Structure formats: structure tokens, C-alpha cells
Amino acid sequence: MTPANLAATVLSAARAVFETRGLDVSALPESTAVERPRNPEHGDYASTLALQLGKKAGVAPRELAAALAEELSSQPGIKSVEIAGPGFLNIRLDAAAAGVLARDIVLAGAEYGHSGTLTGEKINLEFVSANPTGPVHIGGVRWAAVGDALSRLLRAAGAEVGTEYYFNDAGSQIDRFAKSLYASAKGEPAPEDGYGGAYIAEIATAVVAEAPDVLQLDEAEALETFRRVGVDLMFAEIKQSLTEFGVHFDTYFNEKDLHNRGELQEALDRLREQGHIFEADGATWLRTTEFGDDKDRVLRKSDGDWTYFAADCAYYLDKRKRGFDRVVIMLGADHHGYIGRMKAMAACFGDDPDTNLEILIGQLVNLVRDGEPVRMSKRAGTVVTLEDFVDALGVDATRYALARYSSDSPINLDIAVWTRASNDNPVYYVQYCGARTSNVAKQAAEAGVTRGEVADFHPELLSHEKENELLKALGEYPDVVARAAQLREPHHVARYLEELAGAYHRFYDKCRVKPQGDEPITETHRARLWLNDATRQVIVNGLGLLGVSAPERM
């Protein structure tokens, strides 16, 4: 029995009590929750439903708890219900009801943990979106790991998700990039506001190889060639780096397309229809202050050029036209000021900014060696890149480490810790647990222990204290996934996996799956194999949501 199943049973019992006593059933919530008590001696699960409903029902909470306890005690799978304090319910399951979860997990396989909590939501999730003027840097690496994990979580919760990478391939930063490539190809230093690093020389050389006569062209034509070819090369390199990191986007969207297709003018026209456009000082403005922004925003400057914010408006409108009812954008810490203007922009289009637009801000991350931040890439010159991360930690450790912490908290990742083959390395600890479950299953098979037929499984035999602890941990997984998706916080999954690994190791120390010596194979060994394999499945599923492998051997 999972916590969700038990919570539904508690709510059903409450309905029966209300109907028997003639109480108003409309006071009942649509759902409730049960929790694991901090002290296992208090029971397997606890409910505060009687405390929540007592006042609404006009019944003393402890009296209501007594009625609920009596009703629950008659339900299959519930061993006992005790009342504590002012009306807490402490619930104990019988071994069979608890143990059947092992079978259910094995049979569900990769689907265990999936839910329909977000079914019906069509979400556009944009993350990384680094300018194509250099490799993916340290901030983008965090969003690559967290964003990809979040997309997997949202899909596991039933949402329809489209992942998107936005290339800012129009504007002044691309001009500076082209000038930097041109200068490098001529053997000159980068412009004062240009880009440096070995990658600039590499791409400049590649442009010359693709267009051998580029340096013979006049400057304007040469710069256009370096712009066009250089951006394509940088774009391809970024996509390759992300692919090698295990991150794949459904859509790569170019800002330039918004300009070429006239979508900026379309967005302006739509905003004008909504009555939020005004002209001043020769420029065209959006009156965002009506919706809480600190100042109104220019969409088109007096010289006729579009602003970056105009492209933001057009891009948001494009996503909504493609049928996404929620636009989620993941931005770095330096973009916190964007939230007000973007929310106001959504309101100007007539949308509900709290429903249709969601902006997540990620804080800084440092890669640390010997207590000192790793500040410089050998290739990029001024930043730490995705390749630097992977070279230092590996793909699995990088992804797990970056997804393990709340994205709104700054973090320092110590290379020594995250590359160590020991239990103080969280990803090693979890992966080792997964590998141990595989090894236990292999040794059990060699000893002749198999799970047998489903009908022959005896869940009531899983009655040991450590078996019960492990089953309770396994039962929490679906709620963890649903909560992580709802809160947009993949780190809940990582922390859960570490707790699960601890519960499994304690089970491993006390409960043998493989017979010892001449001990005969019993149904208890078979039941424990189901529990072992269920743990393996949840480890695989959880690590999969984080984009991390679950090796069978380590």
C-alpha cells in the first residue's frame, strides 16, 4: 500500500463517518495526505485529518479521531490505528498490505512513479539559451542539468512538454562575435568589447577553411561571412556539447526567424490592439507599469531598430500561438530584473501572468579544487564551460551534483568529493546501491533463488523491521516525483534516492536474499528478492529522471 492509497482510504473512512453521523460531507477535502512519523514507534503513517475537520464538522477533533480510528480499523490491510494528542491518527499496516508494494513496483517497471497530476497541461520549457558567441558556460551547465531533469519530471507527472533552446542570433553581441573572429583570422587582437579565448581562434580558422577567400573580401562582406558561418559553427558545437551531456531539445529556435517572419511587428500590433502601446520621444513604448513593472519599456527605438524586449514579446507570443498554455523560462541570477517586465508583458497580451508565464531563477555555481574556485577555462579563457565540468567530474556526477541542490541556492562543487569512490560522494552512494541490488539478484540466481510466479509471492513474509522501513521508503517515491514536478524542484528526487539507498543498505545488512551455507531456499528468500528488485527499479527510475545512469556493476 502506497501513501497515496492509504490517504485515499483515510478520506473514504472520513466520508463514511460523516455520512453515518449526518455531518456535512461538503466539508471534506478533495484529497488528504499521510506522513511517516519521525519516530517509527508511533506507527507506519500518521494523519491529521481529524484535526483539520473537527472545527468544520462541529465535533471535537479527538472524538472525530476515535470514529475515524474505528472505521479505519475495519479496512483491509490496516493492522491498527491509535489516537495521539489532540487527535492525531497513528496507523500501522499489516505485513501483507505493506509487502504487496514490492510486487506492484516490479510489475509497473519504468512506469512506477508516474502520475496524472499534471495531465492536460501543455508546457513550453525553455532553458540554457546561451548566446551563440561561445561555449556553454558554468551557469548554462546548471540549467542544462536542472532543466532536462525538470522536463523528465513534468512528463512523468503527465504534462505535455516541449523543450526549447532560444538562440539570440540577432543583435549587437553577434556583431561583436563576428568582429572578434575577423580580427583573429587577420592575426589581430580582439576588439575592446569583443570575445577572447582559444575557441575564437579555432572557429576563425574553421571559417577560413570553409570560405578560403573570406579575407580577400571587403570588410562588410567578410564580417557577414564570419557572422553567418561562425554562428553556425558555434551553434553546432553547442548542440554537440549538450548532446554529449545527454540533453536533447525538441526545438532550437532562432531569434533571427522572429525578425525574418515579421513576428515582432505582429506582436506590436497585438499589443496595440490591447491598448497598451504609446508613442513618446519618437519611440514606441509598452505601458508595462500598468501591470506592476517599475518602468515602461521601449519596443522600437526612435531610429527604427527593435529592442531585445520586443523580441522577448514576439517570442512569448509565438509560444502561445503554438498552443502552449504555460511558458516556463529558466534564467540565470543576473536576470532577476526580467521577472517584473516579463510578467507585465504577459498581462499586456491579455494573459494571466501567474498561470501562463513562469520564470525560474538559478543562482551561481562554482567548481572548486583544493578549496579554491576553478575560475578559468583553458579554452574559453574567462569562464568555466560544460566541457570543463565533464572533464573534471564526468557526465553522471555533474548532472547529479547540479540537480541535487535547489536551483535558487548558490553552490560550490568540490571536485575531490564528486570524483571520490566513497559513500560521501552522493552520486556514488546512490549508484553503488543500484549496483548492489543487481549483484544481490545475480548471486541469488546463482544460488537458485528466483521470484517465481506472481501468484506465488507472499508479501506477508516481509515483516522484518528493516523490510518495513524499506517498503515505506519505496512507497514514498510517487509522491516525491509528483511534488518535485509541481514545485519545479528536481533536487527532491536526488535527496530521496539518498534516503532510499540508506534504507536499502540497512535492509541488506539484516535480511539475506541468498541462503547462507546449507540453508534451504524459502519463500522468504523469494519475497526478499521481489523487494530487492523493486528497490533496483526505483533507483533506475529515479536516476533516469535526473538523466543519470544506474550501472549494474561498479
Side-chain angles (χ1 to χ4, degrees), residues 387-450:
E387 287 77 10
D388 297 323
F389 254 104
V390 172
D391 287 346
L393 304 182
V395 170
D396 278 349
T398 298
R399 291 191 61 133
Y400 189 97
L402 292 171
R404 184 178 184 262
Y405 301 92
S406 173
S407 56
D408 60 5
S409 299
I411 53 174
N412 293 319
L413 300 181
D414 192 318
I415 293 174
V417 171
W418 288 95
T419 55
R420 192 177 295 151
S422 65
N423 287 343
D424 60 349
N425 175 352
V427 68
Y428 178 87
Y429 184 62
V430 174
Q431 287 182 317
Y432 179 75
C433 176
R436 172 172 270 185
T437 62
S438 293
N439 188 52
V440 165
K442 178 183 176 183
Q443 291 186 0
E446 291 171 350
V449 180
T450 64

Side-chain angles (χ1 to χ4, degrees), residues 277-409:
I277 295 295
F278 68 97
E279 310 291 332
D281 302 322
T284 302
W285 298 69
L286 181 63
R287 193 174 281 108
T288 53
T289 51
E290 290 186 354
F291 298 99
D293 195 8
D294 59 344
K295 62 181 180 180
D296 295 323
R297 303 290 170 176
V298 176
L299 295 179
R300 199 163 199 171
K301 295 182 283 189
S302 58
D303 62 4
D305 286 345
W306 295 100
T307 63
Y308 285 119
F309 185 61
D312 290 337
C313 294
Y315 187 36
Y316 172 80
L317 181 61
D318 183 275
K319 291 176 178 178
R320 295 285 284 123
K321 284 166 53 183
R322 282 185 271 146
F324 293 105
D325 47 52
R326 185 181 293 270
V327 173
V328 180
I329 307 172
M330 307 176 83
L331 299 173
D334 57 338
H335 286 75
H336 200 279
Y338 277 51
I339 297 177
R341 75 188 71 169
M342 293 294 287
K343 291 283 188 178
M345 173 267 292
C348 287
F349 275 120
D351 284 349
D352 179 352
D354 293 328
T355 300
N356 302 116
L357 178 62
E358 189 173 336
I359 298 177
L360 308 178
I361 299 293
Q363 294 300 320
L364 299 176
V365 54
N366 290 310
L367 192 61
V368 177
R369 179 187 287 114
D370 299 327
E372 296 295 327
V374 177
R375 297 188 180 280
M376 187 174 294
S377 167
K378 294 178 181 177
R379 185 163 177 265
T382 57
V383 295
V384 176
T385 68
L386 173 54
E387 287 77 10
D388 297 323
F389 254 104
V390 172
D391 287 346
L393 304 182
V395 170
D396 278 349
T398 298
R399 291 191 61 133
Y400 189 97
L402 292 171
R404 184 178 184 262
Y405 301 92
S406 173
S407 56
D408 60 5
S409 299

Side-chain angles (χ1 to χ4, degrees), residues 10-19 23-32 49 52-53 56-57 64 68:
V10 171
L11 193 57
S12 177
R15 177 172 289 277
V17 168
F18 270 50
E19 290 174 346
L23 300 173
D24 182 8
V25 295
S26 67
L28 295 171
E30 291 185 5
S31 63
T32 188
L49 188 61
Q52 298 169 29
L53 294 176
K56 291 181 180 179
L64 184 56
L68 281 171

Side-chain angles (χ1 to χ4, degrees), residues 39 76 86 110 127 131 145-146 170 185 202 251 258 292 322 384 429-430 452 475 486 489 520 551:
N39 185 348
F127 57 101
N131 291 337
V146 175
E202 293 171 11
T251 302
L258 294 171
R322 282 185 271 146
V384 176
Y429 184 62
V430 174
Q486 192 70 48
E489 295 178 342

Side-chain angles (χ1 to χ4, degrees), residues 449-496:
V449 180
T450 64
R451 292 199 304 259
E453 298 297 325
V454 174
D456 298 328
F457 172 56
H458 294 278
E460 70 279 4
L461 297 176
L462 298 174
S463 58
H464 191 280
E465 174 190 355
K466 298 306 177 186
E467 293 166 345
N468 185 259
E469 179 187 350
L470 180 54
L471 283 163
K472 284 190 284 188
L474 291 170
E476 290 182 352
Y477 178 68
D479 288 341
V480 170
V481 173
R483 184 171 70 254
Q486 192 70 48
L487 298 176
R488 318 299 195 234
E489 295 178 342
H491 70 274
H492 291 292
V493 175
R495 298 307 176 105
Y496 163 81

